[in-house]
Amino acid sequence: MKTNELLKDFDPVSAKQWKQKLQADLKGGDYNELLSWTSPEGIQVKPFYSEDDLPEDPGIPATGTGNWKIGYRIGNETPSEQISEALQADIEHFVVGTPESFSAAFQHKAVLGELQQPVYLDFPGTDVLLADWISQSNLKHPVILVDPIGHLAATGNWHSRETNDAGSLLKALSHPAATEAEFRFAVHADLYQNAGANRVQELAYALSHALEYLLWSAEEKSLRPLLQQPVFHLAVGGDYFFEIAKFRALRKLWARVAPEYGFSGDCLIFASPSLRNKTIYDYNTNMLRTTTECMAAILGGADLVCNLPYDQIYQYPNTFADRVARNQLQLLRHESYFSQVHNPADGTYYIESLTDQLGSKALELLKQLEKGGGFLKQLREHNIQQKIRESATKQQQAFDSGSKVLVGSNKYPNADDRMQEVLQKSIQLAKKSRKTLLEPIIPSRLATNHELKRLQDEPR
């Protein structure tokens, strides 16, 4: 590590000296008991960190290129005028988010077709009709992200059924239009975070999910190109330093696991703020949350960051919130210089320690999952759903008791807030009655029940 010239006139302070100083200030009290706390993943967070806490072998680098991109997600509700504005802004990559949103994007095929950068079509299933859409869209650099297992986890059903999903994917790859596109497997690990998984579970489930595709490619060699640089979708939670470490740990873990199957271990990580901690009351705090969450993703080495409008959970897409969300990323890039430093977290005692511990715990859980038959088997037996539900319940209890704080919601609420008249969407997830192969993993927000009661109590 390069010596900092600013510190050359100061004597180094050892960990022992720090402990002695803490104990003196605490008048002999146990600093571990008074100042330490334990994360939901079982990681003890100490009051200070030193060089002694760095991993003995840093091993694989924990960051990407450092050249992160500003992304924009076109959803099925995105109005045409918002897409048009985004196309004129400094957006570097577009992600067409759902099959329903293809028609909205298609209205701008002339402009999208002129883009020099890739357009990502985030397609959960493997429908061969996707290739027909590509041939009509005139996109120069379409990248098709397929995640049939993610579709199964989110809906409880395959797009058709497992064998047909794999067969449809092979048909799409052989379609004449497929030569104009690049196909990649994606892993929607953001689902697990938004449903309440802790960070170790997120990492382990993401890797186990990806391992299923590695096994598919072992049986069907034509799928191997889809895993040369897969895409991991991660949601960013509110615990700043832990989230930085989570992104770094995922990259290190994939770089360790993938070479065992003959792949380089390279990947792309797409990030977007979590929905789980967003609120309708005191909604402007969502802008503060999404800003720090985007910062954590960037410092953790995300390759593409798509921000979340502050009002997404209760209003339909609108140009004002959309512009604010884009400008948050522009401020981070151009005014905060977050694009100027490569791997700024490298060597930081606390983050390096968290990265190592999260990675070790996730690797251990991954081994347990694979020993138990792998991701799909655990999903079919509802073990993964149960573990996520247990984690989500603990988080909910922490919120309900006030130990998990969401400012403006369960702490420092604004009693004058009135939201009944401005709600455009239901803040509860619509429950669909349908037959499923397995229990789907359902996203949920911590503040929903609290907000429903508060809405009911608002003066009429």
Side-chain angles (χ1 to χ4, degrees):
M1 189 180 297
K2 186 177 178 181
T3 303
N4 190 330
E5 290 297 311
L6 293 173
L7 303 178
K8 65 181 181 180
D9 296 327
F10 296 88
D11 294 329
V13 180
S14 68
K16 182 178 179 180
Q17 289 173 293
W18 274 114
K19 291 178 183 178
Q20 289 173 341
K21 175 61 176 171
L22 281 170
Q23 287 179 332
D25 288 349
L26 293 171
K27 303 186 185 305
D30 186 342
Y31 74 89
N32 280 320
E33 181 180 335
L34 295 172
L35 301 179
S36 296
W37 56 277
T38 303
S39 78
E41 298 82 11
I43 294 174
Q44 186 182 37
V45 180
K46 304 188 299 184
F48 76 94
Y49 286 78
S50 70
E51 192 172 358
D52 296 343
D53 295 292
L54 291 174
E56 291 184 9
D57 179 14
I60 302 162
T63 187
T65 63
N67 187 27
W68 64 279
K69 304 294 184 184
I70 295 175
Y72 182 83
R73 180 170 285 271
I74 299 174
N76 59 342
E77 294 179 337
T78 308
S80 179
E81 60 269 23
Q82 284 182 220
I83 300 174
S84 182
E85 284 189 12
L87 285 165
Q88 297 173 40
D90 188 19
I91 301 296
E92 294 161 303
H93 289 299
F94 286 82
V95 181
V96 182
T98 65
E100 293 83 4
S101 57
F102 291 169
S103 58
F106 190 72
Q107 298 176 42
H108 301 271
K109 67 176 182 178
V111 183
L112 286 169
E114 292 300 315
L115 294 176
Q116 297 303 310
Q117 63 269 36
V119 175
Y120 294 93
L121 304 182
D122 197 6
F123 195 68
T126 52
D127 197 324
V128 71
L129 293 176
L130 178 60
D132 293 325
W133 191 92
I134 299 167
S135 64
Q136 299 173 46
S137 67
N138 299 322
L139 295 177
K140 285 184 179 178
H141 308 287
V143 181
I144 317 302
L145 306 179
V146 292
D147 186 14
I149 294 175
H151 184 269
L152 172 68
T155 67
N157 286 317
W158 293 102
H159 206 253
S160 49
R161 62 176 186 266
E162 183 175 2
T163 53
N164 282 359
D165 274 10
S168 294
L169 177 55
L170 293 173
K171 286 181 181 178
L173 291 171
S174 63
H175 192 283
T179 58
E180 304 297 322
E182 178 184 349
F183 283 75
R184 296 187 188 185
F185 276 121
V187 173
H188 279 83
D190 51 343
L191 172 67
Y192 312 134
Q193 198 279 346
N194 280 313
N198 64 45
R199 281 167 286 264
V200 167
Q201 290 173 331
E202 283 181 74
L203 292 170
Y205 296 161
L207 289 167
S208 189
H209 184 151
L211 281 177
E212 295 290 345
Y213 293 137
L214 289 170
L215 295 175
W216 284 19
S217 72
E219 296 179 3
E220 180 52 64
K221 301 301 182 186
S222 62
L223 296 178
R224 288 186 65 83
L226 281 67
L227 284 161
Q228 293 301 334
Q229 194 183 48
V231 172
F232 288 90
H233 292 264
L234 289 185
V236 198
D239 199 328
Y240 188 65
F241 293 107
F242 269 86
E243 292 297 321
I244 295 172
K246 179 180 78 178
F247 277 76
R248 301 174 84 248
L250 176 61
R251 197 176 295 278
K252 288 172 74 79
L253 287 166
W254 179 248
R256 178 174 176 178
V257 170
E260 298 294 325
Y261 294 80
F263 293 94
S264 67
D266 190 18
C267 68
L268 292 179
I269 300 178
F270 289 5
S272 57
S274 171
L275 286 167
R276 188 153 172 76
N277 63 347
K278 303 306 180 287
T279 58
I280 65 169
Y281 285 99
D282 213 348
Y283 50 77
N284 286 323
T285 57
N286 290 333
M287 281 188 272
L288 302 177
R289 294 177 182 123
T290 55
T291 299
T292 56
E293 287 161 5
C294 288
M295 287 167 60
I298 295 164
L299 295 176
D303 297 289
L304 182 72
V305 182
C306 297
N307 197 13
L308 190 74
Y310 69 91
D311 62 353
Q312 179 162 320
I313 58 177
Y314 68 92
Q315 286 195 324
Y316 294 122
N318 59 87
T319 55
F320 177 77
D322 205 51
R323 182 168 178 265
V324 169
R326 294 198 310 269
N327 285 347
Q328 286 174 267
L329 293 175
Q330 303 287 9
L331 285 167
L332 290 176
R333 161 154 291 183
H334 299 293
E335 294 190 24
S336 304
Y337 303 103
F338 267 59
S339 61
Q340 302 299 312
V341 181
H342 174 63
N343 196 13
D346 188 32
T348 53
Y349 304 147
Y350 181 35
I351 295 174
E352 290 282 13
S353 176
L354 290 182
T355 301
D356 185 61
Q357 292 184 75
L358 284 174
S360 297
K361 286 179 175 290
L363 189 59
E364 185 59 37
L365 179 54
L366 174 64
K367 291 176 181 178
Q368 294 176 22
L369 290 168
E370 296 309 301
K371 187 176 179 180
F375 186 80
L376 282 175
K377 185 173 187 294
Q378 293 293 309
L379 201 62
R380 291 188 183 106
E381 294 176 354
H382 296 163
N383 292 330
I384 287 174
Q385 294 92 322
Q386 178 61 29
K387 292 297 183 183
I388 292 177
R389 188 159 46 246
E390 289 172 2
S391 174
T393 298
K394 290 178 182 178
Q395 293 174 20
Q396 191 65 57
Q397 290 171 345
F399 173 82
D400 293 343
S401 69
S403 59
K404 169 68 176 176
V405 173
L406 292 181
V407 172
S409 184
N410 66 342
K411 189 77 169 178
Y412 307 118
N414 180 357
D416 295 328
D417 262 0
R418 298 290 182 268
M419 295 300 298
Q420 190 73 256
E421 299 301 318
V422 298
L423 291 183
Q424 296 177 349
K425 300 191 292 189
S426 171
I427 64 171
Q428 285 183 295
L429 286 172
K431 294 184 178 180
K432 298 179 181 179
S433 178
R434 62 178 183 270
K435 186 177 180 180
T436 60
L437 294 173
L438 50 82
E439 177 190 347
I441 297 172
I442 306 296
S444 62
R445 290 188 306 111
L446 289 168
T448 298
N449 291 335
H450 175 83
E451 291 167 348
L452 288 170
K453 184 179 186 307
R454 192 168 168 184
L455 286 167
Q456 189 176 11
D457 293 341
E458 280 187 14
R460 303 297 176 185

